[in-house]
């Protein structure tokens, strides 16, 4: 009987879009039809009668199908909220980068604190700012597929693409942070200011390699 | 009966909400209770019922979750939200008002029922 109802529903929803929502609605209807059928059998109807009564009780499914074709309403409040959170994180990070330089100047020039310590404090602040940016890029809600239509799949594909871009951006910013740290550490440690700048060129090469690796992966 | 049906259909959503205020429920159970409460005089078509569910859910008046039936198809249960309760209260007030107005209009307000 299960299959018989399922077949009937497939027939009725022939014109409905093939989406998750349609599948769920059919499953929901199926469960209720079977309940109804069982009740009818229990009240003394035979198989045929019970099936026909249950099916005729469905009524006109046009309205339901129309509802399935409607576009999903986007949750604008949610989008707005995550946009604000993201903006707050980014501006805090940028603020931290600027403050780190101010602190470096204050420590080394005004308070005459050892250069090494001042630079370490600056880099720690920069590291926190970078962490925030990376966190923001990763935690941003990705576009969730609402429906299995081609448009939705395209949107998801696009979203996955831009997620890749976000990851690449994060990797690059971490790379440059590390290069700056390394530059200062090496230069202070070995006094190699004359040639330690080469590290930035190496960094640029590394960046190209990472980008290339990402493109090749696709 | 057809006029009665039309009037009732216009209040499908309120009927569903007032059922869900008592307890979480699923489509067939709600329809069955409608049948019982009306002594088998009235029964919603599934299509009407499920369209109403969708509208109510989209408006945030009810929420749904899947039951954990292990055999056969899963049932989808509905529960009323705080917003739904407020809407139900308002709908009841509206209905009272409409009822009084219609009484006045069709009985001419002379109390001669």
């Amino acid at each position: 009987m299960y299959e018989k109802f399922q077949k009937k529903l497939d027939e009725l929803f022939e014109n409905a879009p093939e989406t998750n929502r349609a599948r769920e609605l059919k499953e929901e209807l199926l469960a209720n039809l079977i309940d109804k059928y069982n009740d009818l059998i229990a009240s003394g109807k035979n198989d045929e009668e019970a099936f026909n009564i249950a099916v005729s009780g469905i009524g006109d499914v046009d309205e339901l199908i129309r509802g399935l074709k409607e576009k999903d309403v986007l949750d604008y409040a949610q989008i707005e909220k995550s946009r604000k959170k993201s903006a707050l994180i980014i501006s805090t990070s940028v603020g931290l980068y600027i403050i780190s330089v101010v602190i470096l100047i204050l420590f080394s020039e005004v308070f005459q604190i050892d250069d090494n310590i001042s630079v370490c404090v600056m880099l720690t602040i920069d590291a926190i700012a970078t962490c925030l940016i990376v966190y923001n890029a990763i935690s941003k809600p990705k576009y969730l597929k609402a429906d299995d239509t081609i448009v939705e799949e395209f949107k998801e594909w696009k979203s996955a693409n831009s997620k890749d871009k976000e990851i690449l951006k994060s990797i690059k910013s971490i790379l440059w942070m590390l290069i700056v740290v390394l530059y200062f550490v090496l230069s202070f440690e070995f006094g190699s200011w004359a040639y330690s700048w080469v590290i930035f060129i190496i960094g640029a090469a590394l960046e190209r390699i990472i980008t290339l690796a990402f493109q090749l992966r696709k | 009966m057809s006029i009665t049906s039309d009037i009732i259909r216009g209040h499908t959503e309120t009927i569903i909400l007032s059922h869900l205020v008592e307890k979480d429920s699923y489509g067939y159970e709600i329809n069955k209770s409608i049948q019982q409460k009306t002594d088998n005089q009235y029964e919603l078509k599934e299509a009407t019922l499920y369209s109403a569910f969708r509208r109510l859910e989209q408006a945030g008046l009810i929420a749904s979750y899947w039951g954990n039936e292990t055999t056969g198809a899963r049932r989808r249960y509905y529960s009323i939200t705080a917003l739904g309760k407020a809407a139900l209260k308002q709908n009841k007030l509206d209905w009272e008002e409409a009822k009084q107005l219609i009484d006045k209009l069709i009985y001419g307000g002379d109390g001669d029922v």
Side-chain angles (χ1 to χ4, degrees), chain A residues 1 3-6 8 33 37 40-41 45-57:
Chain A
M1 196 42 64
E3 283 79 23
K4 206 171 161 191
F5 276 117
Q6 210 159 31
K8 186 75 202 169
L33 282 175
Y37 171 83
L40 288 165
I41 292 287
K45 296 271 189 297
N46 68 36
D47 277 10
E48 188 71 21
E49 282 173 325
F51 179 80
N52 288 334
I53 293 171
V55 167
S56 71

Side-chain angles (χ1 to χ4, degrees), chain B residues 31-92:
Chain B
N31 213 355
K32 206 161 86 173
S33 103
I34 290 172
Q35 240 181 313
Q36 281 164 356
K37 281 179 185 164
T38 59
D39 292 323
N40 288 323
Q41 286 183 65
Y42 188 74
E43 183 189 8
L44 281 175
K45 294 283 184 198
E46 259 88 3
T48 314
L49 185 65
Y50 293 99
S51 300
F53 281 149
R54 293 293 154 279
R55 281 196 301 274
L56 286 167
E57 200 171 10
Q58 264 171 9
L61 303 184
I62 61 173
S64 69
Y65 56 93
W66 287 104
N68 46 9
E69 283 74 31
T70 44
T71 52
R74 291 176 301 170
R75 281 181 191 145
R76 196 189 188 111
Y77 287 85
Y78 295 91
S79 61
I80 192 165
T81 63
L83 201 62
K85 284 178 186 161
L88 176 62
K89 212 170 145 190
Q90 185 57 46
N91 286 358
K92 281 178 174 169

Side-chain angles (χ1 to χ4, degrees), chain A residues 7-67:
Chain A
K7 227 183 107 204
K8 186 75 202 169
L9 282 174
D10 285 341
E11 242 169 70
L12 285 170
F13 283 88
E14 203 172 42
N15 294 323
E18 278 286 316
T19 62
N20 277 333
R21 269 175 66 204
R23 266 192 292 277
E24 281 184 5
L25 180 64
K26 273 197 270 185
E27 185 174 359
E28 183 180 1
L29 266 166
L30 183 62
N32 288 290
L33 282 175
I34 288 169
D35 281 344
K36 191 171 180 177
Y37 171 83
N38 287 337
D39 268 8
L40 288 165
I41 292 287
S43 74
K45 296 271 189 297
N46 68 36
D47 277 10
E48 188 71 21
E49 282 173 325
F51 179 80
N52 288 334
I53 293 171
V55 167
S56 71
I58 299 173
D60 184 9
V61 293
D62 283 354
E63 193 188 348
L64 281 172
I65 293 175
R66 225 176 305 127

